[in-house]
Every structure is written in structure tokens, then in C-alpha cells.
Amino acid sequence: MGGASTIDPAGPDGKRPAASGRSRVPVLLPLPLAGPYDYAVPEGWGVPQPGTLVAAPLGGRVLAGAVWHGAPDGTVPEAKLRPLAALLPAPAMTAPLMRLVDWVARWTLSPPGAVLRMALSVPAALSEPRVRSGLVLAEGVEPATLPKARARVAAVLAEAPVPWSAADLARAAGVGPGVVKAMRDAGLLVAVAMPEGAPPRLGGAPPALSPAQAEAAAVLRAAVAERRPGATLLDGVTGSGKTEVYLEAVAEAVARGRQALVLLPEIALSAQVIARFRARFGADPHVWHSEVTGARRRDTWRAVAEGRAPIVVGARSALFLPFPDLGLIVVDEEHETAFKQEDGVAYHARDMALVRAHLTGIPAILVSATPSLETLANVARGRHARLHLPERHGSAGMPRVEAIDLRATPPPRGQFLSPPLAAAIGETLGRGEQALLFLNRRGFAPLTLCRGCGHRFQCPNCTAWLVEHRYARRLECHHCGHAEPVPPACPECGAEGSLTPVGPGVERIAAECRERFAGARIAEMSSDTVHGAHTAAHYAAMIGNREVDLVIGTQLVAKGWHFPHLTLVGVVDADLGLAGGDLRAAERSFQVLHQVGGRAGRADRPGRVLLQTWAPGHPVMRALVSGDVDRFVAEEMAERRAGGWPPFGRLAALIVSSPDQAAADEAAEALRRAAPGADGAGEGFRVLGPAPAPLSILRGQHRRRLLLKAARGVDVQALLWAWLARAEVPRAARVDVDVDPVSFL
DNA sequence: AGCACGCCGACT
DNA sequence: GTCGGCGTGCTC
């Protein structure tokens, strides 16, 4: 991860033999350079094919790069060329992956090398394959003569005389790792080279599918079998069995000897999803995300490149793995904004997954209970097919959703649960069932102010309030990580005991519940209490075992969990996501609230969802209460169409940032002056801004935004290239480009 | 991304 | 008088 990697040139030393009249090849390096560099091919190598991974000297170091496709640049004089240092012992990049790199670079206006960097993110995997050693019994060792623990180890090896890893061996023998180590040191065990991991043996049979599932699965299996390019939306409510259906498509790819890639948002918390793959195929899929590091990361990359990984389940970065024979890409929860990478190369993994599938000539499946408007528009245009799963027979059905009008039944002063919601929680707990309260805000209170002088605690690096975290006794900025202790007195007027928390976070809701539902066992789930897959699984088990009565959580609890005893979901502030005028605020609110509501009543008992809102008439609330999703989508689509917004128009953002406010303003003005067209408007496009970004100072950077809004069919990239080339931006400011922005921060 | 070269403050 | 801050520019 991070850092373009120097690698050990397995080949010649770093001297510079003159390159004389030999062939030259373009080599793309994992650096933000404008394009590939030309290199001389040492004598006797032959001409390396495009995609070949090579070690190339650059300045004083040697980098891993890829021989690129297309003609060498040719303008660099022969004498300046340096010879390639070595061919790397790793499979060459495939043509579709090289084309993907070019495609993403062009689309995002990033240097191709910056994109290549994502595809060569595992430097260790590019050098000589790791020789793993395993342990076998030394010759002539007689198990019977050994002490008990050692005898058990010997027995395991006698039973299965293949090389074992030390950890596996200790586990199988039921002894500590020390025993195995001591036996090796004593010469009772010897290390031998272990063969590279064979592909997992996949087996398993399809589960019993409903007729609708079976029909959808058959369509998708056929598409995979025939390698039919094109995308299909697979949608249906929570519990309609979408996963089982796409797993059949995965099974088809595997049966044909091809690989399948399944992209998920934030995989770290989806242990339950991995378990479903295991249940279906009898073996774990290869897993890829940022928390997979070290030897595991290297082995997985290698297994993918060598075709030994039939199924890969991964976060967005898995999109750039070197599959030699990909047969299917699935994007699960395709509406999730986590698929959009914001920093560095700003790409949307869902959209680029469709590109990779297209370039590879294979089918793609987009899966969601609440598809994005982009995807629905593509279905409407006939660009994607659609398979819709109806609600499943025999399931609990969709929960009943009701809005609580806070204007009519407000919470008591200083509290946040309205009487109807509090009553419903009390009844649920009284029946011995579980309830979940959802509030997408960490900490105790989002704002602290002084009752004496009105002072508000603000982050020194960002335009944001500091959030009180009462357990940690700190005021924290959720944008830059700044934290300070809660002071005993107001720093402005010196008054003591005058600081007042304003508004709720999950900690405050938990405090209120402890008071109101004495004796209830409460679990708080937010990124402050749940750190990664392990704790998440722990919480899930506690909830599943009914060791918890009331769950209070942030967005984290909305994701894919199945809690069979949970029958009530209360949304503390259903209006929260609607503030701020974001283009997709309504769509996203609907998706999140629908998803968290889906946690209620999945077993035999009906679920109930209560939404606390000040605006029960808002289209999002009406859609959730009535369940009339189609109408909501139609209204939202009509608004977007009328305004020329995505998915009916295109957007690109230019984000100016600088530690110096004047430089940021100057750069923004320079961009404005250089805007394409007459005064920023032309055939099918218009430039909006500059305006301060919603977080006008973030991590000490002053930020300004300009927005290019264009009709579909306008070559946005061409406009942006010309625009950026024209603009004279002061050095003290930088400009980032975000094509198809998802977030407007 | 590194790494080198190149001009202005606080130390032996 | 030097060590060293990181601003700017180059790497086939």
C-alpha cells in the first residue's frame, strides 16, 4: 500500500550501458507522469510484449512498471534512453486491464501512471514468488518415544505426511506454537519448501430457490455461460433472495473455469456476507480490501494473477486486480456511495466495473434493494437489463412504517425520543423483543455552546463545530481528527458550568435510554465502539444471542445485518440527511432509511419502523410510509430531468484548495476567467461558481468549487482538459478534478 | 512519488 | 562563517 515501490532488480546492476540502436518500448511507471517513458531493451531479450511487467531505472532508483501498448513516444533521443533492468517474474498485465487503466485515466483526468499504481499496489507480489516452507517429521523420529504434546504433533504429521505450516500444525495437534517451535529447534521437525496454494476446491449445491429466484438465476447463468456482455440490474426488497441468485451466476463462472469478482462497499464489516459464500461453495472466497495486508495481500494478488483465485470478494480497489480470465463482475449494494473514491484518482468503482466488464466482454450484475437513479435511468434507456425479485413467500414481509410528527408530539424538553417512540420501545422491550434506534451522528452532542456568552466550539482547521464525546471527555472534529479536552470553563468569558450540549448524538440517545428504560441492556454501535470485522462480529453475536435489548447505532447498523429478534426500528432524526441542499440528499436519505428499516422483523414476527420527523409530508417520508417507491423515484427523476441534473445531465467539479485563503480565491477566479465558452456557458454546458465549498476550510485548506454542468453527450473530459491547460493557477493552490461527483463537500 | 538542487534564518 | 528549512523541477 502507498508509496511507489522500489524493487530489487533481479537483473543487471545499475550501471548505464549506452543504448545503441536497439529497440525501444514504452513503459508506464506507477507515478503521476503525463504518459509512458521510452526504454531501451537490452540485447538478447527479444521485444517484450505489451503488459510485460519490468523493472525500470528512473533517476536513482528502480521501479516496477508495465510495458505499455501503443507505439513508443520516440521524441526522447536515443542517448537518453536507459535499458530496462529486468523482467519481473509475474504474469503480464492483460490487454483489457491495460485498456481499463487508460480508460479510467482518461475519464478521471488522472495521469495514467497514477491509475497503474492502483493495479500494481502490491510490490512484493511482483518479485520472485515467496518460497513458503512447511514442516515435516524428521526421518527416524518415533512418535511413541516422545512426550505427550510432541507425540500429538508427530501423530498429526504421521497421519498427513505433507508439509504443514507451523500455525496449522499447532492448531491441528492442539498444542501451543511453542511446542512446534521447540521441536523444530530440536531437529524433530524439518522445514521443506511448500508447494504454492492450490485453488480452493469449490463445491456445494444451489440452495432451494423460489420460482422467481430460479428464473432470474437461469437468465444470469445463461449470460455468464455465453459470455454475453452487458449489465443487468438485480433488484428486490431486503429478504427477496438477491444474494442467492447472483451466487448462482458466480457458480456458473466458476464452473466454466473463469473467475468472478464481487465488489462490496466497506467489506471489513461484511463477515456475514463472506459466510454466505462459504456456505454456498464450501470454501472461503479470496478477500480483498485495505485491511488485508502483508503476506496475505501478496499471496492473494498472486493467486488472482495466476488464476488460482476463482472467486474474489473485495472493496472498490479489487477492481484493479490482475484477473487473467474474468467471467463475471457483480456489484452488490450498487447504490452505495462508498464505491466512489474521493481522493487521488476520483473514480466510481460501480461505473468503472461496468467499463471493465465491457472491455473484457463479459456480463456484469448490479445488485440493490434501492437502486441508484443512475442505474434506474440506464434501465429505462435500455442500456441495462433488469431482473426484479418479488417479495418472498413465507417471509415476515416488509415492516410497517409510520412517521411520528414531531410538531404534534415533540419530545420532552432536553430529550430526543418523542412519547410515541418511547412508548413503542417500552412495549417492544416488554414483549422480550429487541429494538434499534438509528441516528447517523457519533458522539454526545454535535455542538457545544456557552450559555453565558454564546461562544461555540469550532475546529481550528475546519469550518465545523467540535463534537462532544462524553466517554472520551473530548471535543473532536469529525473531519480532521483535531481533539481537545472539554474545558472546565468557557474559554471566551471564563464562566464556569455554562457549557451546554446542543443536539443529540448516539451517546446522548444512549444516556436518555438508560434513564428511561432502566434495566434494559443497551449496545452502542458506532465507529467509536466497533473497530473492524472482529468487534462487529462480537456485537452481532451478542445481539443474535439476545444478550442485548436495545441497539443504538449510526449508519454502521444499517448494513446487511440480520438480527432475528429485532422487531422495532426507531429513526431518531429522519430529516438529518435532507439538510444541506445536496443534489442526492433525498435519494440517499431514502436509501439509508429504507435499509435501516429493513433490519426490523425479518423472522416470523412483523417489524415496525417509526420515523421521527418535522416534515412528515416530505416525499422521502411519504415514500417510506406508503412503500410507493416507484412514485418517489418518478418524482425525483422528474425533478432531475427538469433541472438537467444527473442522470439526465453530467457534472464535473473543480476543487481548488490552498492553505492560503487569498491564493485559493485567486486560483478560483483564474479558473473562472479561463472557463470554456462565452462567460462560462456554451453549447450544452454551463460553469457554476466559484463558491466556497460547504466545508470552506478543511484540514487547514481553504476550498473553492466550480461546477461544470453539461448535457449528456457533451465531451466533458475534452472541455476540462482544455480548460485546465488554459487556466493560470497560482502555484500555492492546487486544483482537483472530480468527474461525476457524488459528494458535494 | 522521490530526490536533487537552490536560496534565506539560527547555531557552533 | 556553516547546517538546514522545504519550494521547484526532473526523471525515459
Side-chain angles (χ1 to χ4, degrees):
Chain A
M1 310 197 303
S5 48
T6 352
I7 51 134
D8 263 344
D13 60 329
K15 283 189 219 122
R16 288 192 187 207
S20 56
R22 284 164 307 178
S23 58
R24 58 164 79 195
V25 286
V27 174
L28 190 62
L29 297 167
L31 300 177
L33 304 168
Y37 277 6
D38 286 354
Y39 280 85
V41 180
E43 323 245 5
W45 276 27
V47 179
Q49 289 306 297
T52 305
L53 299 182
V54 293
L58 184 77
R61 57 214 169 117
V62 179
L63 297 170
V67 174
W68 215 238
H69 48 197
D73 172 66
T75 59
V76 174
E78 194 82 29
K80 215 180 161 194
L81 293 191
R82 294 176 72 183
L84 294 172
L87 297 169
L88 295 176
M93 275 179 91
T94 60
L97 184 51
M98 286 192 283
R99 291 176 66 201
L100 178 71
V101 168
D102 283 340
W103 215 99
V104 172
R106 197 194 105 69
W107 188 259
T108 61
L109 278 87
S110 307
V115 182
L116 180 73
R117 201 158 169 274
M118 301 192 287
L120 297 180
S121 63
V122 195
L126 305 176
S127 7
E128 208 56 58
R130 190 163 65 112
V131 181
R132 293 193 302 173
S133 67
L135 296 169
V136 294
L137 211 52
E139 236 168 288
V141 171
E142 199 48 65
T145 66
L146 297 170
K148 271 207 303 279
R150 294 182 173 204
R152 278 210 300 277
V153 173
V156 168
L157 287 170
E159 179 95 0
V162 294
W164 285 68
S165 82
D168 286 349
L169 183 56
R171 207 174 308 122
V175 303
V179 175
V180 172
K181 188 176 182 303
M183 288 177 73
R184 188 178 47 198
D185 293 345
L188 296 168
L189 302 177
V190 291
V192 299
M194 196 140 78
E196 198 60 66
R201 270 192 298 271
L202 298 182
L209 298 176
S210 70
Q213 281 179 307
E215 200 177 311
V219 171
L220 294 174
R221 288 195 88 125
V224 172
E226 296 161 25
R227 245 174 174 276
R228 196 189 312 140
T232 303
L233 166 65
L234 175 62
D235 74 332
V237 298
T238 313
S240 58
K242 300 183 292 294
T243 310
E244 285 100 320
V245 171
Y246 80 65
L247 286 179
E248 292 316 297
V250 169
E252 184 69 31
V254 171
R256 305 256 157 191
R258 299 199 282 263
Q259 294 167 292
L261 167 63
V262 179
L263 292 178
L264 296 172
E266 285 151 45
I267 188 151
L269 298 173
S270 341
Q272 290 187 332
V273 177
I274 310 291
R276 299 184 72 168
F277 281 79
R278 188 184 312 130
R280 172 63 182 81
F281 296 105
D284 278 1
H286 283 80
V287 174
W288 187 266
H289 52 81
S290 59
E291 286 176 35
V292 175
T293 54
R296 176 68 147 275
R297 193 174 180 84
R298 181 217 162 280
D299 287 349
T300 301
W301 194 93
R302 199 85 201 180
V304 172
E306 291 168 8
R308 291 183 285 107
I311 305 175
V312 176
V313 180
R316 58 179 182 237
S317 59
L319 182 61
F320 295 97
L321 284 171
F323 298 93
D325 191 12
L326 197 53
L328 171 69
I329 304 179
V330 177
V331 184
D332 199 356
E333 309 288 1
E334 68 79 29
H335 63 278
E336 280 285 339
T337 52
F339 283 122
K340 180 67 191 282
Q341 172 143 51
E342 301 281 355
D343 40 34
V345 180
Y347 70 95
H348 200 302
R350 178 239 292 145
D351 298 345
M352 296 307 118
L354 295 175
V355 171
R356 183 160 190 180
H358 173 76
L359 294 173
T360 313
I362 57 170
I365 307 175
L366 303 177
V367 186
S368 176
T370 52
S372 63
L373 294 196
E374 272 73 13
T375 294
L376 290 172
N378 279 328
V379 170
R381 287 178 196 124
R383 291 181 55 173
H384 297 350
R386 178 183 198 173
L387 291 167
H388 179 79
L389 293 181
E391 200 176 313
R392 205 174 220 185
H393 277 310
S395 73
M398 290 307 286
R400 193 168 82 247
V401 183
E402 302 154 50
I404 295 176
D405 187 344
L406 290 174
R407 295 168 306 185
T409 56
R413 201 174 159 70
Q415 300 196 321
F416 301 93
L417 303 182
S418 64
L421 179 54
I425 297 169
E427 287 160 24
T428 303
L429 300 184
R431 281 195 302 271
E433 296 167 4
Q434 291 170 326
L436 166 70
L437 287 177
F438 171 73
L439 175 63
N440 204 6
R441 205 190 261 141
R442 290 161 51 219
F444 187 85
L447 168 65
T448 302
L449 61 77
C450 170
R451 251 179 292 123
C453 69
H455 173 72
R456 297 162 169 223
F457 286 85
Q458 193 178 349
C459 175
N461 313 316
C462 308
T463 332
W465 306 129
L466 293 176
V467 179
E468 181 188 353
H469 285 246
R470 193 154 281 193
Y471 304 137
R473 295 181 187 184
R474 291 195 310 192
L475 298 170
E476 292 181 9
C477 175
H478 286 179
H479 301 285
C480 73
H482 169 87
E484 53 188 73
V486 183
C490 174
E492 196 65 32
C493 70
E496 285 181 36
S498 70
L499 302 183
T500 312
V502 179
V506 279
E507 289 183 10
R508 197 169 191 179
I509 300 301
E512 181 175 335
C513 287
R514 273 192 287 273
E515 210 167 281
R516 292 175 91 157
F517 311 107
R521 295 163 301 174
I522 296 175
E524 269 185 72
M525 293 179 71
S526 72
S527 57
D528 295 317
T529 58
V530 179
H531 314 276
H534 187 74
T535 16
H538 174 70
Y539 273 92
M542 280 205 317
I543 297 166
N545 297 334
R546 315 182 83 149
E547 292 161 32
V548 164
D549 304 306
L550 183 54
V551 183
I552 297 167
T554 59
Q555 179 122 23
L556 202 110
V557 299
K559 305 263 185 251
W561 303 100
H562 174 46
F563 299 136
H565 312 296
L566 188 72
T567 55
L568 175 71
V569 168
V571 176
V572 176
D573 185 353
D575 309 327
L576 187 59
L578 294 172
D582 187 304
L583 168 70
R584 293 182 179 81
E587 178 186 0
R588 224 149 39 204
S589 273
F590 175 79
Q591 288 161 346
V592 169
L593 296 178
H594 184 275
Q595 188 166 34
V596 73
R599 302 308 108 209
R602 289 190 63 181
D604 48 346
R605 264 168 293 203
R608 190 177 177 204
V609 179
L610 296 174
L611 307 168
Q612 293 198 138
T613 174
W614 296 97
H618 192 284
V620 168
M621 307 309 151
R622 290 211 320 261
L624 289 162
V625 169
S626 68
D628 193 348
V629 181
D630 293 344
R631 180 172 155 193
F632 170 71
V633 168
E635 287 172 0
E636 189 69 16
M637 287 277 200
E639 268 187 47
R640 302 266 189 101
R641 180 182 278 125
W645 299 105
F648 302 98
R650 298 197 46 203
L651 292 179
L654 295 188
I655 303 125
V656 176
S657 58
S658 170
D660 177 48
Q661 180 175 349
D665 284 326
E666 203 181 311
E669 267 318 307
L671 283 170
R672 168 80 235 184
R673 284 193 302 273
D679 198 28
E683 189 68 34
F685 67 87
R686 220 181 121 193
V687 172
L688 309 171
L695 274 160
S696 69
I697 311 174
L698 180 66
R699 298 169 185 275
Q701 297 281 320
H702 294 258
R703 292 141 31 95
R704 304 288 181 267
R705 294 177 62 97
L706 293 101
L707 205 56
L708 173 65
K709 186 179 172 197
R712 279 166 45 79
V714 169
D715 188 344
V716 169
Q717 279 78 11
L719 284 177
L720 291 170
W721 270 120
W723 183 1
L724 291 169
R726 220 169 22 238
E728 285 171 19
V729 176
R731 296 195 194 292
R734 60 177 279 170
V735 180
D736 290 302
V737 184
D738 187 352
V739 176
D740 303 334
V742 159
S743 154
F744 290 81
L745 290 185

